[in-house]
C-alpha cells in the first residue's frame, strides 16, 4: 500500500511548468509561476528554471506537447533536476505519462499546496483535515501512483499491480476517508459548542490571500504572539483572541490564507476552520497592496468567500504594506505634492469601491494602526447596537 509521506523532502532542485491557453496571457502565466516558485520555496525546493508553452488547451496525455517535454527532459539531464512541478492539476494518467518520459518525480500545484499544509498542520484537527484532503486527492490517481512507485522501485514486486491490488488500495483509501470524516465530525461538534459558548460577543475575522500580513495585524490588534513569517500559509489553525477597544470587547480571529487554485478538497476538509469565517459578524479583508497582482488576489478572496457563503457581511478592507507600495511606486525624483496626489487617488479609488470602508496601513511599521482600530471599533459598536439595543455593558 502506498504511504502518504510528504512529496517534497526539502532538498530538491525543481523546474516549474505552465501552459498559456487561449484565455490567458503569457504575463499572467508568468505571474502564476512566480507564485508557484514561492510555494516551492516554502516547501523547501529550489526552482532552477521555468518552462512555458502556448497551447489552445493542455495536452490530454502529457499536459504539454511532446517537443516541450523533450526540452524539459534535456534540461533535467544536464542540470541534475529531481522535481518537476506543473502549475495546473494533473490527472493520474498525465503524471504517469510525463514521468515515463522524464523519469523524475512530477507533482502539480495541488500536491504542493497539500504538502505545505501537511507540514504546517499542528493541531489534531488541522492534521486530520489535511490528511482527508490528501486521501481525496490520491483516490482518483491510485492507478498512476502504483505505476510511479513501480518505476521508482518503491517496494513493489517485479510485476505491476493487478486490478485486485488497486481495488484493495481504493477500498483502504475510502475507509480512511470515511474514518477521517467521522473524526472531523466529532471535532466539528466540539468546536461548534465552543463557538456557541463564546456568548454574545461580536466576532471579527481577518481574511485574505496568503502572506498579506493577517498574523502581523492580529498581533498588533490583540497584542499576542501569532506566528508570522514570509512564507505561504504560516497560519493553518484559527487563533481567536478576546480584544477590548475602549471598553468594547469582541472576538478577533486569524484564519488560514486563501490562494488561487486552492485544491477543492482542501476547502471541503477545512470546513470547521472556515466556519470561523462563515460565522463571523464582520470580516477584515487584508490586502498586500505592494503585490503586483493585488487586485487578482482580492478577486480570489472574494470568490472563495462566495463559495463559503460568507459574503453577506460587513467588510473592512485593509490595504497593508503601504511602506512597500510607496517604495515600489515613488521614484526618487517625485515631488512631495505628486506623491500626495498619487496617494489621494489611491485612497479615493478604494474608498469609492468599498463604500468608504478602506483603511491603509503598514503593519510592520505600525502605520495607521490607530485608524484601523477606530474603524473596527465603530463597526463593532454599530453591530452591538443593532443586536442588543437595550444593553450598555458587554462584560
Ligand atoms: N514591509 C512590510 N512587510 C509586512 C507588513 N505586514 C506584514 N509584513 C510581512 O509579510 C510577511 C507575511 O506576514 P504574515 O503576517 O505572516 O502574513 P499572513 O497573511 O498571516 O500569512 P499566511 O499565514 O501565509 O496566510 C511577514 O514577513 C511579515 O513581516 C507591512 O506592512 N510591510
Amino acid at each position: 500500500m502506498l504511504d502518504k509521506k510528504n512529496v517534497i523532502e526539502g532538498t530538491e532542485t525543481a523546474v516549474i511548468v505552465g501552459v498559456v491557453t487561449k484565455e490567458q496571457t503569457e504575463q499572467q502565466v508568468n505571474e502564476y509561476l512566480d507564485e508557484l516558485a514561492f510555494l516551492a520555496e516554502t516547501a523547501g525546493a529550489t526552482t532552477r528554471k521555468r518552462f512555458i508553452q502556448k497551447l489552445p488547451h493542455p495536452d490530454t496525455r502529457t499536459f504539454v506537447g511532446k517537443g516541450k517535454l523533450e526540452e524539459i527532459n534535456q534540461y533535467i539531464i544536464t542540470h541534475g533536476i529531481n522535481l518537476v512541478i506543473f502549475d495546473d492539476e494533473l490527472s493520474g494518467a498525465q503524471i504517469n505519462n510525463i514521468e515515463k518520459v522524464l523519469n523524475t518525480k512530477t507533482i502539480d500545484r495541488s500536491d504542493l499546496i497539500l504538502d505545505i499544509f501537511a507540514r504546517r498542520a499542528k493541531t489534531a484537527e488541522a492534521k486530520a483535515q489535511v490528511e482527508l484532503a490528501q486521501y481525496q486527492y490520491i483516490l482518483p490517481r491510485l492507478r498512476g501512483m502504483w505505476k510511479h512507485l513501480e518505476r521508482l522501485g518503491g517496494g513493489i514486486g517485479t510485476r505491476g499491480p493487478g486490478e485486485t491490488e488497486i481495488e484493495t488500495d481504493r477500498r483502504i483509501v475510502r475507509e480512511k476517508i470515511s474514518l477521517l470524516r467521522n473524526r472531523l465530525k466529532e471535532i466539528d461538534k466540539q468546536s461548534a459548542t465552543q463557538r456557541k459558548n463564546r456568548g454574545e460577543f461580536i466576532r471579527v475575522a481577518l481574511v485574505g490571500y496568503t502572506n498579506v500580513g493577517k498574523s502581523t495585524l492580529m498581533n498588533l490588534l490583540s497584542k499576542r504572539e501569532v506566528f508570522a513569517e514570509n512564507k505561504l500559509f504560516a497560519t493553518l489553525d484559527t487563533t481567536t483572541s478576546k480584544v477590548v477597544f475602549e471598553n468594547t470587547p469582541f472576538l478577533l480571529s486569524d484564519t488560514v490564507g486563501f490562494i488561487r487554485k486552492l485544491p477543492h478538497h482542501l476547502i471541503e476538509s477545512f470546513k470547521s476552520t472556515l466556519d470561523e469565517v462563515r460565522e463571523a459578524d464582520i470580516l477584515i479583508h487584508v490586502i498586500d497592496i505592494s503585490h503586483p497582482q493585488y487586485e487578482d488576489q482580492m478577486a480570489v478572496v472574494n470568490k472563495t468567500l462566495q463559495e463559503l457563503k460568507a459574503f453577506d457581511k460587513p467588510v473592512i478592507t485593509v490595504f497593508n504594506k503601504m511602506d512597500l507600495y510607496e517604495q515600489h511606486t515613488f521614484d526618487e525624483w517625485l515631488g512631495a505634492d505628486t506623491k500626495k496626489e498619487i496617494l489621494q487617488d489611491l485612497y479615493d479609488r478604494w474608498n469609492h469601491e468599498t463604500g468608504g470602508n478602506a483603511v491603509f496601513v503598514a503593519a510592520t511599521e505600525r502605520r495607521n494602526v490607530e485608524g484601523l482600530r477606530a474603524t473596527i471599533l465603530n463597526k463593532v459598536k454599530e453591530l452591538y447596537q443593532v443586536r442588543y439595543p437595550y444593553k450598555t455593558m458587554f462584560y
Side-chain angles (χ1 to χ4, degrees):
M1 172 55 200
L2 53 98
D3 56 349
K4 210 187 42 42
K5 60 176 186 273
N6 283 349
V7 287
I8 295 199
E9 281 142 26
T11 49
E12 281 95 337
T13 47
V15 294
I16 54 179
V17 188
V19 161
V20 183
T21 56
K22 275 184 283 187
E23 295 85 42
Q24 297 154 329
T25 64
E26 194 159 339
Q27 192 195 338
Q28 263 173 335
V29 172
N30 258 311
E31 288 163 1
Y32 298 161
L33 291 185
D34 287 342
E35 186 171 86
L36 192 67
F38 194 12
L39 281 166
E41 188 191 312
T42 299
T46 316
T47 302
R48 282 286 155 78
K49 191 173 167 66
R50 59 180 65 181
F51 292 89
I52 293 183
Q53 185 174 36
K54 274 192 189 156
L55 286 175
H57 49 78
D59 189 279
T60 45
R61 289 197 69 254
T62 50
F63 204 77
V64 289
K66 258 198 189 133
K68 185 54 82 181
L69 211 55
E70 201 33 58
E71 189 188 330
I72 299 173
N73 196 29
Q74 281 310 318
Y75 188 88
I76 288 175
I77 295 168
T78 326
H79 295 84
I81 298 297
N82 45 22
L83 180 66
V84 184
I85 312 171
F86 281 73
D87 192 42
D88 289 276
E89 203 160 282
L90 301 172
S91 67
Q94 281 171 329
I95 295 184
N96 195 27
N97 294 331
I98 295 168
E99 284 189 339
K100 251 189 228 162
V101 178
L102 301 181
N103 240 322
T104 306
K105 184 157 66 181
T106 301
I107 62 169
D108 61 21
R109 177 184 259 259
S110 294
D111 226 346
L112 185 55
I113 294 176
L114 286 172
D115 201 62
I116 296 171
F117 269 60
R119 281 156 206 268
R120 301 281 180 177
K122 298 256 159 38
T123 59
E125 180 179 21
K127 282 185 182 151
Q129 288 173 330
V130 177
E131 223 179 308
L132 174 60
Q134 283 180 317
Y135 278 118
Q136 283 172 324
Y137 175 83
I138 283 174
L139 191 58
R141 293 175 175 77
L142 271 179
R143 182 187 299 274
M145 285 186 178
W146 265 104
K147 295 229 168 96
H148 161 96
L149 291 176
E150 200 185 354
R151 242 192 331 279
L152 301 179
I156 302 171
T158 41
R159 276 183 326 113
E163 277 306 306
T164 4
E165 281 146 315
I166 295 175
E167 242 344 285
T168 311
D169 270 5
R170 281 205 186 108
R171 189 172 45 75
I172 294 172
V173 171
R174 279 198 199 104
E175 278 167 13
K176 279 265 183 198
I177 290 177
S178 98
L179 208 82
L180 284 163
R181 278 209 176 114
N182 286 340
R183 194 186 304 162
L184 281 168
K185 249 185 222 152
E186 276 310 304
I187 300 179
D188 202 26
K189 264 189 226 154
Q190 291 164 13
S191 334
T193 320
Q194 274 169 10
R195 284 199 298 270
K196 270 204 192 102
N197 289 345
R198 289 186 196 154
E200 300 167 334
F201 292 126
I202 294 289
R203 282 152 59 176
V204 182
L206 289 154
V207 295
Y209 210 78
T210 177
N211 212 44
V212 292
K214 296 178 296 297
S215 302
T216 313
L217 278 168
M218 175 82 186
N219 288 339
L220 276 181
L221 296 170
S222 69
K223 298 200 179 70
R224 65 183 276 176
E225 285 304 308
V226 179
F227 185 48
E229 202 187 2
N230 192 20
K231 282 196 171 167
L232 302 176
F233 305 113
T235 310
L236 267 202
D237 299 298
T238 303
T239 328
T240 302
S241 279
K242 184 178 161 195
V243 179
V244 184
F245 289 173
E246 290 178 19
N247 294 336
T248 308
F250 62 94
L251 297 174
L252 182 66
S253 299
D254 186 15
T255 61
V256 58
F258 299 156
I259 195 165
R260 204 175 58 87
K261 300 187 197 168
L262 196 65
H264 189 73
H265 296 315
L266 212 53
I267 297 191
E268 197 190 310
S269 315
F270 269 69
K271 182 192 163 299
S272 69
T273 304
L274 292 168
D275 275 347
E276 204 66 50
V277 177
R278 224 171 277 137
E279 293 175 14
D281 302 296
I282 298 169
L283 297 180
I284 303 181
H285 180 173
V286 185
I287 291 142
D288 172 0
I289 195 162
S290 72
H291 197 286
Q293 287 95 49
Y294 80 89
E295 289 188 55
D296 283 352
Q297 297 188 341
M298 283 174 84
V300 170
V301 172
N302 286 334
K303 192 166 156 265
T304 314
L305 289 175
Q306 251 159 0
E307 278 170 26
L308 293 174
K309 301 197 169 37
F311 205 64
D312 202 11
K313 306 176 188 295
V315 178
I316 300 170
T317 310
V318 178
F319 293 91
N320 187 30
K321 305 199 189 179
M322 280 301 286
D323 55 324
L324 286 184
Y325 171 83
E326 289 177 6
Q327 267 178 37
H328 298 169
T329 317
F330 294 164
D331 283 322
E332 276 170 51
W333 45 266
L334 276 185
D337 284 349
T338 319
K339 286 181 183 171
K340 236 181 174 173
E341 262 172 41
I342 293 175
L343 287 180
Q344 197 55 52
D345 283 351
L346 186 79
Y347 299 158
D348 290 347
R349 176 187 167 198
W350 285 111
N351 265 314
H352 177 73
E353 295 205 18
T354 60
N357 284 307
V359 187
F360 298 81
V361 303
T364 42
E365 289 190 347
R366 298 172 181 252
R367 200 196 295 182
N368 199 26
V369 175
E370 282 318 306
L372 176 58
R373 275 171 184 266
T375 310
I376 298 173
L377 182 61
N378 277 342
K379 275 267 178 300
V380 169
K381 273 185 173 166
E382 256 174 44
L383 264 191
Y384 273 129
Q385 261 151 24
V386 172
R387 208 166 283 179
Y388 312 107
Y390 305 111
K391 221 167 173 172
T392 48
M393 290 288 284
F394 296 100
Y395 74 113

